[in-house]
Amino acid sequence: MGNEVRVRYAPSPTGHLHIGNARTALFNYLYAKHLGGSFIIRTEDTDDKRNVEGGEESQLRYLKWLGLEWDEGADIGGEYGPYRQTERLDIYQKYVDELLERGLAYKCYMTEEELEAEREEQRANGQVPKYSGAHRDLTQDQIEQFEAEGRKPSIRFRVPDNRTYTFNDIVRGNITFESSDFGDWVMVKKNGIPTYNFAVAIDDHHMKISHVLRGEEHISNTPKQMMIFEAFGWDAPQYGHMTLILNENRKKLSKRDEHILQFIEQYKNLGYLPEALFNFITLLGWSPVGEEELFTQEEFIKIFDPERLSTSPAIFDPAKLKWMNNQYIKQASLDEVVELSLPHLIEAGKLPADMNEKQKQWAVDLISLYHEQLSYGAEIVELTDLFFQTEINYNEEAMAVLREEQVPEVLQGFLEQFSNIEELSPEAIKASIKATQKATKQKGKKLFMPIRVATTGQVHGPELPNAIYLLGEDIVRTRLENALELIK
C-alpha cells in the first residue's frame, strides 16, 4: 500500500443519516483533508432486506448539506469503482472461489434451526455461543446428501488455529484477539451475497484504503477482516475505533431514545444550520487544543489531529447544540435567518403562504426582533406567539407586575400618549414612553414593566418599542384597555 491517505465512509442505505454515522463521515473527511488525502463514499447495500428506497440518496443529500464533498463515490465515479457493493459481486466471487480452492473456506449446509440448537446447547453449558465447525470437513458423500435434500450452503471462512491478531488502533493503542475467540464465520450467505466482513476487506484492498476510522462496535469485526487480508497476503489498513456517543444519562445513544433527535434530517427540518451541526458533531469524541469551541470547516481541517480523538465516551448535550446553533445564527445575515424561520411560521398557520409586500416586511421585522435570541428556525413559532394571540392570559409573574400601585397611572398615561401618535413607528412609540415618564414621574422598571406586561403579556421580550409597533395600533390599545379593566 502506498503512502497516500485514502479513507472511506461506507453507509448502508437502510435509513436516514444518523448522528453517529455523520460523525464517522466527518472524522474520515477531516482526517483525509488534513493530510491531503482522498475521501471516498462506498455504499454497502448487500443487506437487501433492510435497505429502504431512497436510502442512499438520503444519506448523500444530508452529507452534502453538512458541507462534505468526496473525491470518489457511486454518484461521481472514480478510478476504483464500482462504489456500490451490489455492483461488485463478480469481484467478490473471484476471491470466494480462490479461498474455496485453497481450502481456506468451505461450504456449510447447517440449517438455521440446527445452528440455533447448537447455540442453545452451548449457552446451557455456560459457553459463549460460536459455530462449532460441524461442517468443517464434510466428505463428498455428505455434501451430495445435503444437496440432494435441497439444502443451500453458506460459505464459511476457516479460522486458523492458534493465531494471535494484534492491531495498533489509532484511538486505543494495541488491541489483541485470539483466533480461538471466533468460530468459522460466514463469508457468503445462503443467497450468494457476501457478508459485511468479507466484502469490506476485499473493497478496502481494491480501493487502496489506508486508514479506517469507525465506531467501536466494529472492533470485534477487525480481526475477521485481518484474516482475509492475511489469506491473500495483503497489507491491512490502519484501524481507529471511536468511542460511543452517550446521552445525558450516560446511556448509549439509541435510535429508540426519543429524548434526543437522532437524524441529521430532523435538525435540518427544525432550522438548524449545517455549519453548527458540523462543529457540534466534530467535538463529539475529538477535542482541539485550548478552550475555543467554534470553528469553521477550514479551521477544523487545519487543526484536526487524530491523536486528540478521545478514549472516553462522548456526551450528546442537546442544550449545548442549541447554544452552538444560536452562536451561528447570531453571525448569520437577517436574510438567512428569515429563510430559516419563515417557513415554520407559515407551516404553523401563523402567516399565509402567499404574502403581499406589506405582510412580508412585517414578517421580516418580526423575525429580526428575535435574531439574537433564536436557537433554531422552528423556535420562532413559540417566541412570536404573543403577536398572534387575540387575548392575553397573564401568568402569576405578570400579574405581580400589574398589581403594583403605580401601574394604573402608568398604563393610563401611556394609553393617552399612544393614542396621540399621528404616524406609528418605533421612534414615535419610544417618544410616547418618554412622555409617559415625564407625566407620571415613573422610570426604569416601574415604567417599562407595566407597559411591557400589558401589551405583550410577558415580563421579558424583544425591544419594547419595536414589539409594540409590530403588534399594531388596534391590538395595543385593546390590550392596554383590557389590562386597565383587569386591575380596577
Side-chain angles (χ1 to χ4, degrees):
M1 193 172 292
N3 293 324
E4 184 193 358
V5 169
R6 289 177 57 82
V7 301
R8 45 78 168 175
Y9 168 62
S12 298
T14 54
H16 302 294
L17 183 61
H18 183 261
I19 288 287
N21 300 130
R23 182 184 70 163
T24 298
L26 283 181
F27 284 0
N28 277 282
Y29 172 78
L30 290 171
Y31 188 80
K33 297 306 167 190
H34 176 72
L35 294 170
S38 299
F39 174 58
I40 295 106
I41 299 283
R42 184 174 73 219
T43 306
E44 296 182 348
D45 59 347
T46 55
D47 193 350
D48 55 349
K49 289 180 181 175
R50 293 180 61 229
N51 291 346
V52 298
E53 188 175 350
E56 178 185 13
E57 192 268 335
S58 174
Q59 291 262 347
L60 299 184
R61 184 190 326 136
Y62 289 103
L63 286 173
K64 286 177 182 174
W65 180 78
L66 280 172
L68 274 68
E69 295 180 0
W70 40 96
D71 302 290
E72 301 167 31
D75 58 332
I76 59 173
E79 188 180 347
Y80 300 95
Y83 293 90
R84 292 187 188 95
Q85 286 187 331
T86 51
E87 297 172 5
R88 299 174 60 81
L89 298 180
D90 56 332
I91 297 172
Y92 306 135
Q93 190 58 52
K94 168 189 166 188
Y95 292 103
V96 171
D97 292 343
E98 181 178 335
L99 291 176
L100 285 170
E101 190 178 324
R102 292 167 58 195
L104 298 180
Y106 60 91
K107 294 179 179 180
C108 170
Y109 292 86
M110 288 184 76
T111 64
E112 191 50 51
E113 292 75 20
E114 289 169 339
L115 289 166
E116 182 54 36
E118 183 178 271
R119 289 190 287 266
E120 283 297 323
E121 184 178 348
Q122 289 169 337
R123 289 189 195 101
N125 293 331
Q127 299 170 306
V128 177
K130 65 179 182 181
Y131 178 63
S132 65
H135 285 195
R136 209 172 201 236
D137 298 299
L138 295 175
T139 65
Q140 190 59 38
D141 287 345
Q142 288 173 312
I143 291 172
E144 289 172 5
Q145 175 61 38
F146 286 136
E147 292 193 347
E149 293 172 14
R151 294 198 188 197
K152 291 205 177 298
S154 60
I155 297 175
R156 291 182 180 271
F157 184 82
R158 193 183 296 272
V159 174
D161 295 330
N162 304 315
R163 278 283 287 110
T164 299
Y165 294 93
T166 299
F167 59 97
N168 185 22
D169 192 280
I170 293 169
V171 180
R172 299 156 189 274
N174 283 342
I175 297 178
T176 297
F177 289 90
E178 300 298 331
S179 60
S180 56
D181 297 334
F182 301 90
D184 294 344
W185 49 275
V186 175
M187 275 173 36
V188 182
K189 294 177 279 190
K190 293 179 188 293
N191 63 2
I193 301 296
T195 61
Y196 169 79
N197 283 307
F198 180 67
V200 161
I202 302 297
D203 291 341
D204 284 347
H205 170 72
H206 271 259
M207 295 180 184
K208 301 190 184 313
I209 300 302
S210 63
H211 297 78
V212 174
L213 291 175
R214 55 190 181 187
E216 69 173 28
E217 66 274 15
H218 286 288
I219 290 176
S220 61
N221 287 325
T222 305
K224 294 181 181 179
Q225 292 162 29
M226 291 173 70
M227 292 175 196
I228 299 298
F229 279 93
E230 183 182 72
F232 292 110
W234 300 335
D235 292 330
Q238 187 173 358
Y239 296 98
H241 293 90
M242 298 166 288
T243 57
L244 293 173
I245 301 175
L246 307 180
N247 63 22
E248 302 119 300
N249 300 318
R250 303 193 74 81
K251 299 276 177 65
K252 182 181 176 183
L253 199 62
S254 162
K255 293 178 183 178
R256 294 183 295 276
D257 184 353
E258 295 180 3
H259 172 59
I260 291 177
L261 298 179
Q262 303 279 323
F263 299 99
I264 301 301
E265 180 179 4
Q266 293 172 304
Y267 288 101
K268 178 182 183 294
N269 292 342
L270 279 172
Y272 279 78
L273 290 166
E275 299 87 352
L277 263 293
F278 190 109
N279 196 149
F280 177 78
I281 294 170
T282 302
L283 298 180
L284 288 175
W286 180 86
S287 60
V289 175
E291 300 299 317
E292 182 60 49
E293 294 183 293
L294 301 176
F295 299 94
T296 64
Q297 183 183 136
E298 292 72 25
E299 288 169 336
F300 271 126
I301 288 171
K302 185 176 180 181
I303 65 176
F304 189 79
D305 179 359
E307 295 290 323
R308 298 192 64 82
L309 286 166
S310 176
T311 56
S312 303
I315 306 296
F316 189 103
D317 182 353
K320 178 77 170 286
L321 175 55
K322 280 178 66 176
W323 169 83
M324 189 170 283
N325 202 61
N326 171 253
Q327 302 305 303
Y328 279 87
I329 284 178
K330 285 177 181 176
Q331 296 170 20
S333 68
L334 178 58
D335 286 347
E336 289 173 303
V337 177
V338 169
E339 188 179 342
L340 211 59
S341 308
L342 187 56
H344 296 284
L345 289 170
I346 294 170
E347 187 181 347
K350 304 292 186 181
L351 292 172
D354 295 319
M355 287 182 272
N356 59 36
E357 286 306 311
K358 187 177 179 182
Q359 289 171 315
K360 280 181 187 172
Q361 189 56 53
W362 185 87
V364 169
D365 291 342
L366 177 65
I367 291 167
S368 74
L369 285 183
Y370 295 93
H371 188 155
E372 294 289 306
Q373 185 180 347
L374 196 67
S375 294
Y376 55 94
E379 194 179 36
I380 198 70
V381 176
E382 181 183 348
L383 289 175
T384 60
D385 191 47
L386 72 95
F387 291 91
F388 303 99
Q389 291 175 337
T390 51
E391 294 182 12
I392 295 176
N393 294 312
Y394 299 104
N395 62 23
E396 267 306 307
E397 192 177 8
M399 283 306 302
V401 171
L402 294 179
R403 291 191 192 105
E404 293 176 9
E405 60 178 346
Q406 87 286 3
V407 169
E409 181 189 14
V410 168
L411 294 187
Q412 189 61 53
F414 178 67
L415 179 57
E416 291 170 10
Q417 297 292 338
F418 183 78
S419 299
N420 291 331
I421 295 175
E422 291 184 8
E423 186 174 346
L424 201 65
S425 69
E427 293 74 22
I429 294 164
K430 195 170 184 179
S432 69
I433 295 173
K434 193 90 172 164
T436 306
Q437 177 184 339
K438 190 174 180 181
T440 64
K441 305 293 189 291
Q442 300 292 340
K443 59 184 179 179
K445 282 190 173 183
K446 294 286 185 182
L447 174 71
F448 287 99
M449 284 296 278
I451 297 173
R452 180 180 290 283
V453 169
T455 55
T456 70
Q458 299 178 348
V459 295
H460 306 287
E463 191 75 26
L464 187 55
N466 300 65
I468 290 174
Y469 170 70
L470 288 175
L471 282 166
E473 189 176 340
D474 293 342
I475 289 175
V476 170
R477 187 180 289 112
T478 299
R479 288 183 178 183
L480 288 167
E481 290 169 351
N482 289 344
L484 282 164
E485 185 68 29
L486 181 68
I487 58 177
K488 269 184 179 177

